[in-house]
Amino acid sequence: MHLRFPKDWALPAAAVTPEPLYRLAQRREFLKTLGIGLAGAALLRPSALLAATAGFPAKGNPLYPGTALKPTAEEYVTSFNNFYEFGTDKSEPKDYANKGWKTDPWTVELAGLVNQPAKFDVNELVKKIGGLEERVYRHRCVEAWSMVIPWDGFPLAKLVALAEPKPEAKYVRFVSFNDPAHAVGQKEGNLDYPYVEGLRLDEATHELAFIATGIYGKALPNQNGAPLRLVTPWKYGFKGIKSIVRIEFTAAQPKNTWSVMAPDEYGFYANVNPKVDHPRWSQASERVIGAGLLGGRQATLMFNGYEKQVAALYKGMDLAKNF
Ligand SMILES: Nc1nc2c(c(=O)[nH]1)N[C@H]1C(S)=C(S)[C@@H](COP(=O)(O)O)O[C@H]1N2
Ligand SMILES: [Mo]
């Protein structure tokens, strides 16, 4: 008999599987928010959805049914956020990102060393890419806390392919929005803005690198980086730049916001590594958000549990030096 396995990154070894239950609940909730009963579900077409939600519901990735990661409760994912544009407290983005800041319509630009520079409305982009899929990934912040998030979106590699990078392109630079009139953190100048991030081109085209337009089967809430943000699950969360307006292909390694602000503490690579501590705290373990006060901590995994998939990208590299 032939056994078919999902992608190895979708199936960590220890397997409790709440996924089918979660999926059912998610679908019910989704239909409820649209005011559609189960009977109406069959009639549902992506084109019937509201603006800024093109592609929903995400196609279940057929390779996914076995995922063993238990998603963090949605309530935590959407109310405990890092989004300095809207304040430095974890509770602030949920509030301040929803006071007059508009993420629809939204235009994202592909630029730099490419054959196909372009500007896309996000919904048009999703249609051009061919729809959404779901990925349940671990999310590990450099501040030593973690969640598990069910993202909806598409592989970054598909977007890179659309741009057709020229041979000289070796890196991808991502730029977030700049709107001090509607972003209180930008008005206060709590960081250098716009927020900028970067990846090596081979990191950007790795199958795990993802552009999210949703979580939990719904469009991204503003505080999570609407309408589109980067997700690189083997790297610390700060690489996952939110609310992207520009994706630029470059020959030189881009500067990224946190490594400019504090070069001794945050690097370009930012690969999750329990053996390379932050100068001010250990990275060996992490606080599990939503696990309760006693649910406590767990050991941090090399490359956040994606070592098998991504280690080859860093072969021969000194990971302590290139932190
Ligand atoms: N533009 C922008 N992107 C950002 C940040 C930010 O402050 N501004 N914070 C980063 C950090 S440190 C983390 S941990 C994640 C948090 O994403 P979440 O709030 O969806 O969990 O977003 C990252 N992307
Ligand atoms: Mo973070």
Side-chain angles (χ1 to χ4, degrees), residues 81-85 139 141 176 195 224 229 237-238 240 242:
N81 300 104
N82 269 335
F83 201 171
Y84 273 48
E85 285 86 336
H139 175 55
C141 177
S176 195
Y195 194 102
N224 293 91
R229 57 94 56 86
F238 71 82
K242 294 177 167 180

Side-chain angles (χ1 to χ4, degrees), residues 166-296:
K166 296 183 172 168
E168 312 90 86
K170 300 286 184 253
Y171 294 89
V172 189
R173 178 174 181 263
F174 301 84
V175 184
S176 195
F177 76 103
N178 198 26
D179 183 3
H182 296 103
V184 64
Q186 293 185 327
K187 196 165 145 192
E188 287 167 359
N190 61 11
L191 281 183
D192 287 346
Y193 290 111
Y195 194 102
V196 176
E197 260 305 337
L199 294 173
R200 247 173 29 199
L201 190 57
D202 60 341
E203 296 179 315
T205 54
H206 190 281
E207 73 167 322
L208 290 183
F210 200 63
I211 294 287
T213 63
I215 48 170
Y216 274 92
K218 293 170 282 197
L220 273 178
N222 282 359
Q223 62 268 31
N224 293 91
L228 80 170
R229 57 94 56 86
L230 177 65
V231 183
T232 45
W234 70 100
K235 293 175 177 288
Y236 291 121
F238 71 82
K239 296 297 289 183
I241 181 172
K242 294 177 167 180
S243 308
I244 298 165
V245 297
R246 185 176 159 89
I247 299 175
E248 192 185 335
F249 294 74
T250 65
Q253 182 176 303
K255 295 192 186 323
N256 54 316
T257 296
W258 279 105
S259 75
V260 171
M261 302 298 298
D264 298 337
E265 302 191 17
Y266 311 102
F268 175 78
Y269 283 95
N271 291 316
V272 176
N273 190 335
K275 288 179 292 218
V276 177
D277 287 338
H278 184 275
R280 294 185 280 129
W281 58 83
S282 164
Q283 295 290 28
S285 71
E286 62 205 39
R287 181 160 67 99
V288 181
I289 302 298
L293 281 179
L294 302 174

Side-chain angles (χ1 to χ4, degrees), residues 56-96:
F56 288 94
K59 273 180 260 146
N61 183 331
L63 300 171
Y64 247 98
T67 191
L69 294 170
K70 185 174 184 278
T72 303
E74 185 175 357
E75 180 197 338
Y76 290 100
V77 180
T78 58
S79 65
F80 182 95
N81 300 104
N82 269 335
F83 201 171
Y84 273 48
E85 285 86 336
F86 298 100
T88 53
D89 275 14
K90 301 286 184 280
S91 63
E92 286 178 321
K94 182 179 183 169
D95 194 6
Y96 292 120

Side-chain angles (χ1 to χ4, degrees), residues 20-36:
L21 274 181
Y22 150 64
R23 206 172 273 288
L24 185 66
Q26 174 198 350
R27 184 154 178 75
R28 285 218 181 100
E29 199 192 347
F30 176 77
L31 295 172
K32 215 164 57 195
T33 55
L34 291 178
I36 296 169

